[in-house]
Structure formats: structure tokens, C-alpha cells
Amino acid sequence: MIIENKRILLSSPHMSGNEQKYINTAFEENWIAPLGPNVDQFEMDIATYAGVKGASVTSSGTGAIHLALDILGIKQGDSVFCSTFTFIASANPALYLGAELTFIDSEVETWNMSPLALERALAYAKKENKLPKAIIVVNLYGQSAQMDKLLEISNSYNVPIIEDAAESLGADYKGKKSGTLGKIGIYSFNGNKIITTSGGGVLISDDEEIIAKSRFLATQARDHAPHYQHSVVGYNYRMSNILAGIGIAQLQVLDDRVKRRREIFDTYYQELSNIDGIEFMPELNQTKSNRWLTTLTIDQKIVKLNPYEVMDKMNEANIETRALWKPLHLQPLFKGNKFFEEKETKESIATSLFRNGLCLPSGSNMNQKDQIRVIEAFKKIVNNK
């Protein structure tokens, strides 16, 4: 049945139709326990796709970040740097371990961590004799950060980077897959991501010892012994064999999903970029964003509307939109934490993006008719005020 004026969602799950095959196999072979053949295959498939030596699938991307920080030895009182312009899941795991977070501003070129701000923060930390034990760099909305510059800076201070590529699976950075540039990479398979396992994530690395330790810690850190023996704190973070089956099938269509999301972005750009006051998220040269979400900024002096007013009016048209991430240094949870701007101005880059930004519906299962409806509604709103 066709529902007129149905709600258009921001980014809903898009199944390939092949997932049930792997789920059924798990049931037929009674591999309902947390681990099994689907987990093994999914990990191998991800590692092959990303071009890394190993992958360890987890119950969430947040859990994968927690494991990464633990493996790098983060403990109570240690310092961790993190992109400020991101979802809170990027930073929460540092709190689990008792670390102190410092937040780094964005840049206009990628909307991700500013190399200039990172350099300033590291120089200050060295002067204070408290360099971070890790830097969490986030690739927002499918666009990689300037990893070559960030790595050059971090390596000069001997600080490892965790690449939070939760939103950028399938994106390319100068010939490499997004998420593979740091010491440890993270992907998310949450329900709204470009591919999904309902819930889940993965830790990837070229360091096979890191992968082995990740699996050990994620299964309650059980020692090699004929009985249950535990010498360190562990977690219950492994992905289930059933969900891994969904992931196998989803990964097979990842490139198609990237292609479709980029087509959706291109259509939005063609139809909306000529409106005065509207600017789309840029794509850095020599990179390929997966365009997980199509995002833009609204110049409120020109458009005479703020993103929340646009969101309300789009919602009246039964279309879901969303504000950009509120920077973490502005969150009540992190009141008082250090924050380093790209440059000293009235408003940081991250704050400006948050204040002016909007996400449009971008699901790969959105049809042309629905996208036209989004475009027409957006045009009507910004033109009629």
C-alpha cells in the first residue's frame, strides 16, 4: 500500500535481501552463542575490505573505542585528546577509564580535527609535561580528516591516533580506506549507519597483537587456564554470531550504498547549492567521502532562518532533518574541560558549524520521488521565510 505523505527518515536501515541466508545458517547449525563462523567470516571480510591485517567485531562502536583506549594503556588521570565536533560516544569511553579529556576544534576544509589546533594543544601539553596518551580523531558524516597532517603532528610527539571512522566506512583517503590511517581504527554498524548489523562495531588494525588483545578483553579477559581465571579487567563486548551474519551480507553491498549516498548528495547539491546562504560540506582533494549524511550550513543573515526553524518546518512536512553535532566542549558533562580553537576568534569553527548546520535525509533506500519532495519542501521554506 502506498502511503501519501509518508514520513521521510534521515537514514533508515537498508537491507540487501541476503542477510537472512546467514541468519538461517546460524539457526540451522545452532550457532546462537556469541561467537561462531559468521563472526570469523565477518572479521576476515572487514579486514580484507579495509586492507588491514585484522578486525575484531564488537557489540558497538563505543565498545570498540573503549577497547582501543584500554589497549593503549589509558588509565585514571591520563590525558586523551578528542575532536570536539562529534557525537558523545567518541569521548565517553575515555571517561570509563578515568581519563581527562581535552577537545580540539574543527577546520573549514573537512569539518574535522584542525591540524593547527592539534599542534597548539600538543605544544601546550608538552610545556605542562602532560602529553596525551592517545588522540581520537573523528571522521564526520563520511568525510576523512586530514590524516596525513594530523599523523605528522602526532608522530612528532609520539602520541598514537585512534581513528573514529564510525561514520566514514567506505570512504577513501588518498588511496587508503578511511579508518586505516591511525594505529587503531573504529567502524560502527548502528542502525542508521551506511551498513548495519542492527547494533555493533569493529576495531581494526595492522598490529595483530592489538587485534588479539581486543578479542581477549572483549570476552571477559579469560586467561588461558583449565578453569575460569582472570588477571585483568575484561568486558562483554563481542558481537553475536547472528548479527555478524547480517554484517556479512551488508558488507557485500557497501560499495553500492556509498555510490547511492553520493548520488543523493549530488542531487541535493545540483538543486540547492545555488540558493544564497546555503553551503554544503566540502570534500577534501584526493579523498572520497561516503556522504553518509548530506550536510549543509545556513547563513542566517541571508536566509533569515536558523536550522531549528527549518527543522520545525520540515517536520511539519513529515520530513526528518537533524542539527549537526553539538561540540563536546559545550556539553554540560564537559564543563571546564580544556578546548583548543583553530585560531582565536569570536566563535570557534566547531561552534559555528553547530549553530548553522543541518542534515538532510540521506538514506540509500530513499527513492527519487521522496528526494524531490525533500528538495521542494526545503526550497519553499528557505525562499518563503
Side-chain angles (χ1 to χ4, degrees):
M1 181 178 68
I2 298 175
I3 301 174
E4 293 297 328
N5 201 36
K6 68 176 182 180
R7 185 157 180 80
I8 299 175
L9 300 175
L10 191 73
S11 179
S12 62
H14 188 182
M15 296 293 101
S16 71
N18 202 31
E19 291 82 7
Q20 199 65 46
K21 168 187 170 183
Y22 298 98
I23 295 170
N24 288 345
T25 298
F27 273 82
E28 290 163 5
E29 297 179 357
N30 205 31
W31 279 106
I32 310 302
L35 301 178
N38 283 344
V39 168
D40 297 339
Q41 182 179 337
F42 191 30
E43 289 181 336
M44 287 189 292
D45 290 350
I46 294 166
T48 299
Y49 180 88
V52 295
K53 290 184 178 177
S56 172
V57 291
T58 56
S59 55
S60 68
T62 309
I65 295 172
H66 188 188
L67 290 170
L69 290 169
D70 195 339
I71 290 166
L72 293 178
I74 309 303
K75 58 185 184 301
Q76 183 80 32
D78 284 340
S79 173
V80 172
F81 287 5
C82 182
S83 303
T84 191
F85 191 39
T86 183
F87 181 49
I88 199 167
S90 300
N92 269 341
L95 299 186
Y96 304 163
L97 295 166
E100 298 173 5
L101 281 156
T102 292
F103 297 110
I104 312 299
D105 200 5
S106 299
E107 57 167 7
V108 295
E109 292 86 349
T110 64
W111 294 13
N112 294 314
M113 185 180 285
S114 161
L116 290 175
L118 178 62
E119 179 71 74
R120 291 180 59 233
L122 285 169
Y124 177 87
K126 184 177 182 180
K127 184 179 178 181
E128 296 292 308
N129 198 30
K130 193 165 185 180
L131 284 169
K133 293 286 187 68
I135 301 167
I136 302 170
V137 176
V138 185
N139 300 327
L140 283 180
Y141 304 117
Q143 171 61 50
S144 293
Q146 294 205 60
M147 289 301 296
D148 50 357
K149 292 183 179 181
L150 296 171
L151 283 166
E152 183 180 359
I153 296 165
S154 65
N155 288 340
S156 70
Y157 287 89
N158 198 31
V159 182
I161 283 180
I162 297 170
E163 192 176 357
D164 180 353
E167 300 174 6
S168 63
L169 175 61
D172 294 331
Y173 181 84
K174 299 184 177 181
K176 294 185 177 180
K177 291 297 182 185
S178 182
T180 66
L181 284 297
K183 189 173 185 64
I184 300 173
I186 303 297
Y187 297 132
S188 170
F189 305 118
N190 192 31
N192 66 356
K193 294 300 186 290
I194 196 160
I195 63 170
T196 183
T197 57
S198 176
V202 64
L203 181 153
I204 63 171
S205 180
D206 272 325
D207 188 328
E208 293 178 295
E209 289 186 13
I210 286 177
I211 297 301
K213 190 166 185 180
S214 169
R215 293 170 181 162
F216 169 72
L217 291 173
T219 48
Q220 303 289 15
R222 181 183 175 185
D223 293 339
H224 183 67
H227 48 268
Y228 286 92
Q229 180 169 298
H230 307 271
S231 303
V232 298
V233 174
Y235 313 99
N236 184 18
Y237 278 168
R238 287 291 265 164
M239 180 182 287
S240 82
N241 193 58
I242 295 172
L243 295 189
I246 299 173
I248 293 169
Q250 284 277 286
L251 191 61
Q252 292 167 358
V253 296
L254 174 57
D255 289 341
D256 292 336
R257 300 295 184 256
V258 173
K259 181 175 181 290
R260 178 60 186 140
R261 299 251 181 176
R262 289 180 63 84
E263 289 172 351
I264 288 168
F265 172 86
D266 289 344
T267 299
Y268 280 134
Y269 187 86
Q270 291 163 15
E271 294 291 332
L272 303 176
S273 62
N274 61 349
I275 299 174
D276 288 344
I278 301 299
E279 296 287 342
F280 284 84
M281 184 181 190
E283 184 174 59
L284 191 68
N285 287 339
Q286 301 181 60
T287 73
K288 178 183 175 183
S289 171
N290 71 11
R291 295 297 186 189
W292 170 56
L293 293 180
T294 291
T295 56
L296 53 83
T297 56
I298 299 169
D299 187 327
Q300 298 178 40
K301 292 180 181 178
I302 297 174
V303 178
K304 306 300 183 185
L305 290 169
N306 66 48
Y308 295 93
E309 291 170 324
V310 175
M311 287 167 59
D312 287 344
K313 291 178 182 295
M314 292 290 277
N315 191 54
E316 289 174 7
N318 215 13
I319 297 169
E320 182 184 17
T321 55
R322 184 178 294 174
L324 301 188
W325 299 123
K326 182 177 182 178
L328 297 184
H329 75 277
L330 299 179
Q331 298 286 351
L333 177 63
F334 298 115
K335 185 179 181 180
N337 285 57
K338 290 187 180 69
F339 168 61
F340 286 83
E341 294 178 296
E342 181 174 65
K343 51 188 175 182
E344 294 184 9
T345 55
K346 184 178 180 181
E347 185 175 64
S348 71
I349 300 296
T351 301
S352 177
L353 289 168
F354 162 63
R355 186 171 60 83
N356 297 300
L358 187 72
C359 304
L360 297 179
S362 308
S364 53
N365 52 3
M366 181 172 61
N367 60 39
Q368 186 179 20
K369 181 180 177 182
D370 284 346
Q371 188 173 14
I372 290 171
R373 194 176 125 206
V374 175
I375 290 166
E376 289 178 347
F378 186 87
K379 284 181 176 179
K380 182 178 179 181
I381 290 164
V382 299
N383 288 328
N384 292 348
K385 311 296 188 290

